[in-house]
Amino acid sequence: MRENGYSYFKELHYQKDILYLYNCWDVMSAKLIESKGAKALATSSYAVSDACGYNDGEQLPFELLVCLAQKLVDNTNLPVSIDAEGLYAKSLKSLHQNAQTLFNTGIAGINFEDKKSQTRNYELWDINEQSERIQIVKSAAVSAETQIFINARTDLFFKHNNHSADLVKEALKRAEKYAEAGADGIFIPGLTKLNMIKEFTELSPLPVNIMLDSMNSVTIDWKEIGVSRVSYGPQSYFQVKRILSSNIIFKV
């Protein structure tokens, strides 16, 4: 297996400049993003699923996710990070198996969330259970004879509408436990209040990844707030869909 770019990808989270990830959903979008000078490629589970005709939330067959990961790795020299959701695992054994299968494609990183994918109301894994799951994912990387940047995602801010100081503290507890379990980064999508993001970054033991809630959010000085990584999530996909819908003329 070729070098997957893990070390370079990890270093990008500690540089002076923000790591912006304009999330792709197929090889074509990945090549366009790379041509604009991207330092790494990352997928959006929503965009990938929707582009393939599936709903988000592990409705896309896992085999298709693995196939996409392989296609992206084969068509770029950049490190590739895959939004793996909960790795489609129904047991700890399947978690290890699925992680190893995905890691064998040569990717450099994953997003790994603490939401139970088969539930509807953003039920989260217990903090200790999710920490064990992260450890298993790390062990799967060892089995695959590779290193993987685990961007541990917490869905606390999607689960709760009231983003209080107590919720930030709870998210920080998860960040600390996930770091101890071997996570490389912490992803806090859903939190949009700048003062709370700054509070979180000041105390986080891991590089902090936020997700833009609109294309205009890119104008914010995220480095000043302490953020290391900014993901467009499905916003890039939505933007392309809007452009296509407003410019394509069908003749019948």
Side-chain angles (χ1 to χ4, degrees):
M1 182 185 300
R2 78 178 195 188
E3 169 60 43
N4 68 352
Y6 163 81
S7 297
Y8 169 68
F9 187 55
K10 185 172 183 176
E11 288 174 4
L12 291 175
H13 293 75
Y14 293 91
Q15 301 299 309
K16 180 179 179 181
D17 296 329
I18 293 281
L19 173 59
Y20 283 98
L21 294 175
Y22 195 87
N23 302 73
C24 64
W25 54 92
D26 59 13
V27 172
M28 180 196 72
S29 58
K31 287 185 174 182
L32 287 173
I33 292 168
E34 182 175 8
S35 72
K36 297 299 182 179
K39 297 178 180 179
L41 294 175
T43 65
S44 156
S45 67
Y46 179 95
V48 171
S49 298
D50 192 68
C52 292
Y54 296 90
N55 292 326
D56 194 18
E58 296 189 357
Q59 298 303 301
L60 177 81
F62 182 65
E63 294 76 13
L64 291 185
L65 181 66
V66 174
C67 180
L68 173 62
Q70 190 65 69
K71 287 292 184 182
L72 292 176
V73 169
D74 290 345
N75 283 277
T76 184
N77 289 316
L78 298 178
V80 174
S81 181
I82 295 293
D83 186 350
E85 302 186 77
L87 274 166
Y88 294 67
K90 295 182 179 180
S91 67
L92 295 181
K93 180 179 180 180
S94 63
L95 175 62
H96 188 281
Q97 292 174 335
N98 290 350
Q100 186 172 345
T101 297
L102 186 59
F103 298 165
N104 281 333
T105 63
I107 62 172
I110 61 167
N111 284 353
F112 184 54
E113 60 193 48
D114 58 10
K115 177 175 72 72
K116 295 184 178 180
S117 298
Q118 306 304 320
T119 60
R120 296 182 179 180
N121 299 317
Y122 277 96
E123 182 181 351
L124 304 188
W125 287 99
D126 171 82
I127 188 171
N128 292 319
E129 290 178 318
Q130 183 64 5
S131 296
E132 181 182 8
R133 285 161 55 80
I134 290 171
Q135 291 175 333
I136 289 173
V137 172
K138 292 292 286 189
S139 70
V142 174
S143 298
E145 299 182 349
T146 188
Q147 290 180 290
I148 297 293
F149 188 101
I150 299 178
N151 197 33
R153 165 174 158 165
T154 180
D155 276 76
L156 277 172
F157 300 105
F158 280 146
K159 179 178 181 179
H160 300 279
N161 293 323
N162 181 23
H163 294 171
S164 63
D166 286 341
L167 195 62
V168 172
K169 291 179 181 178
E170 185 178 347
L172 282 167
K173 288 181 181 178
R174 286 186 175 259
E176 290 167 1
K177 289 290 289 186
Y178 297 169
E180 291 173 4
D184 299 278
I186 183 71
F187 187 20
I188 51 171
L191 183 61
T192 58
K193 295 181 179 179
L194 298 185
N195 63 317
M196 289 187 174
I197 294 175
K198 185 174 179 62
E199 178 184 351
F200 186 91
T201 61
E202 288 175 346
L203 297 174
S204 173
L206 296 169
V208 178
N209 179 192
I210 61 98
M211 183 169 67
L212 298 186
D213 60 335
S214 72
M215 298 300 290
N216 294 331
S217 300
V218 73
T219 59
I220 296 172
D221 187 353
W222 293 110
K223 198 66 178 180
E224 178 66 24
I225 298 173
V227 171
S228 298
R229 169 172 163 174
V230 173
S231 300
Y232 281 78
Q235 294 297 330
S236 49
Y237 179 66
F238 294 152
Q239 185 185 41
V240 170
K241 288 183 71 175
R242 285 193 294 269
I243 293 172
L244 289 175
S245 64
S246 62
N247 287 285
I248 292 180
I249 300 176
F250 294 97
K251 294 182 178 181
V252 294

